[in-house]
Amino acid sequence: MSRIEALRRPLQEDLSGFVALLRRLQVPHRVSEERDAQVLWVPVEPLAAQVRELYLRYPQGAMEAEVPTPARAARPGLVAQLRASWMTSALLLLTLLVAAVTLLGDNFATLRWLTFQDFHIQGEYLYFQPWLTSLEAGQWWRLVSPMFIHFGVLHLAMNAMWYWELGRRIEFRQGGFALLGLSLVFGLLSNLAQFWFGGPSLFGGLSGVLYGLLGYCWIFQLLAPTPAYQLPRGVLVMMLIWLLVCLSGVIDTLGFGAIANAAHVGGLAAGCAAGLVGGALARLRR
């Protein structure tokens, strides 16, 4: 990930006021702890220079009325955000490519290579191959590839929007490879949960991964508060309410399609467990 060191301060120094100021200014940043120092990172060098200047003037933060106007223009453009969040961007690009080659689930010839189980069509029915048969043939990608499959534009747009929001937070706080690892683990566990409870079926989407990332940020933030994982309360409540609505069966009854509820619950449980471990370790380091 492209990142520039803007500040390096002792561990005992309280940076919370200055970090709060950066949040008010909407300056993208990440704070990490490295041995005996706190390091504040930003995506590009011009922004780092402005952050250093801002720190010299407001080391403890500033009141709303004191916020200097030049720093408000420091927010990077789309290209800079894409470079800073390169792993998030890459995974979303792969998702878009899969959506294109599968025609959003309508091209069964390509779709069958990415589903959890291989299948063939006979008449109006799909017949699924035992999933262990695919694994024995070396098709291990099927354990995670359903996370890239989407059925319809709305399904793709909503999942991509939320992954961009949650993925960037984790990538900026812990790096691109941490985001990749968490996404693959949550995708694997949510797919296994859906297959275990739902049986052979067509399922896919980033939703299970999203609930994993949501649970991770939620529990991590409770144990080791960090600006990157501070989600608006309404977002968490809305996502949990939507999960309960889906579990109630209302969406299926209204004819909007089947919901992979087990994948959502499995992803959320995995995310909360990972957040518990990650948050506890971060709390111990502090």
Side-chain angles (χ1 to χ4, degrees), residues 85-100:
S85 306
W86 64 273
M87 182 61 76
T88 307
S89 304
L91 290 173
L92 284 177
L93 178 59
L94 180 57
T95 301
L96 294 175
L97 290 175
V98 170

Side-chain angles (χ1 to χ4, degrees), residues 17-63:
F18 184 68
V19 168
L21 172 61
L22 294 181
R23 288 204 306 270
R24 289 204 302 272
L25 294 174
Q26 297 184 336
V27 177
H29 62 280
R30 170 188 172 192
V31 178
S32 63
E33 296 177 4
E34 299 184 1
R35 295 185 180 178
D36 58 345
Q38 307 174 77
V39 184
L40 191 148
W41 308 88
V42 294
V44 290
E45 179 57 44
L47 191 57
Q50 294 188 40
V51 167
R52 295 185 195 106
E53 181 182 351
L54 190 66
Y55 178 79
L56 292 176
R57 297 176 60 187
Y58 303 97
Q60 302 301 321
M63 300 298 292

Side-chain angles (χ1 to χ4, degrees), residues 5-278:
E5 180 180 319
L7 286 176
R8 181 177 289 268
R9 305 301 303 165
L11 278 177
Q12 61 270 23
E13 181 175 335
D14 184 6
L15 285 177
S16 59
F18 184 68
V19 168
L21 172 61
L22 294 181
R23 288 204 306 270
R24 289 204 302 272
L25 294 174
Q26 297 184 336
V27 177
H29 62 280
R30 170 188 172 192
V31 178
S32 63
E33 296 177 4
E34 299 184 1
R35 295 185 180 178
D36 58 345
Q38 307 174 77
V39 184
L40 191 148
W41 308 88
V42 294
V44 290
E45 179 57 44
L47 191 57
Q50 294 188 40
V51 167
R52 295 185 195 106
E53 181 182 351
L54 190 66
Y55 178 79
L56 292 176
R57 297 176 60 187
Y58 303 97
Q60 302 301 321
M63 300 298 292
E64 194 79 22
E66 296 177 306
V67 171
T69 54
R72 292 187 182 274
R75 189 175 184 179
L78 178 60
V79 174
Q81 292 184 53
L82 291 174
R83 289 178 59 191
S85 306
W86 64 273
M87 182 61 76
T88 307
S89 304
L91 290 173
L92 284 177
L93 178 59
L94 180 57
T95 301
L96 294 175
L97 290 175
V98 170
V101 299
T102 62
L103 300 180
L104 289 172
D106 288 336
N107 186 348
F108 290 105
T110 54
L111 182 68
R112 61 182 290 261
W113 287 101
L114 298 170
T115 50
F116 193 80
Q117 297 170 270
D118 193 7
F119 64 86
H120 69 275
I121 302 174
Q122 186 173 334
E124 298 181 354
Y125 296 95
L126 298 179
Y127 293 89
F128 290 93
Q129 186 179 48
W131 73 294
L132 287 178
T133 302
S134 298
L135 297 184
E136 290 170 354
Q139 299 174 4
W140 291 90
W141 67 83
R142 292 186 183 275
L143 294 174
V144 296
S145 58
M147 62 186 276
F148 299 109
I149 298 173
H150 288 83
F151 304 97
V153 174
L154 183 61
H155 187 208
L156 173 64
M158 292 298 293
N159 281 352
M161 179 187 72
W162 282 112
Y163 192 82
W164 175 250
E165 174 63 30
L166 296 172
R168 286 190 305 158
R169 291 173 179 269
I170 293 175
E171 181 171 3
F172 206 69
R173 172 66 175 77
Q174 296 182 253
F177 291 106
L179 172 64
L180 176 63
L182 289 173
S183 297
L184 293 177
V185 169
F186 297 156
L188 168 65
L189 296 178
S190 61
N191 289 337
L192 288 173
Q194 183 59 37
F195 174 72
W196 182 265
F197 290 99
S201 61
L202 274 183
F203 61 87
L206 281 167
S207 301
V209 176
L210 292 177
Y211 272 103
L213 299 182
L214 178 71
Y216 181 81
C217 292
W218 176 23
I219 303 301
F220 193 109
Q221 178 69 8
L222 291 177
L223 295 175
T226 174
Y229 296 165
Q230 188 173 0
L231 299 172
R233 188 179 300 273
V235 169
L236 179 62
V237 172
M238 183 192 69
M239 294 287 280
L240 294 178
I241 289 177
W242 176 250
L243 177 62
L244 294 176
V245 169
C246 293
L247 287 171
S248 71
V250 171
I251 305 300
D252 292 357
T253 303
L254 293 177
F256 289 107
I259 303 295
N261 291 315
H264 295 173
V265 175
L268 181 62
C272 289
L276 181 64
V277 174

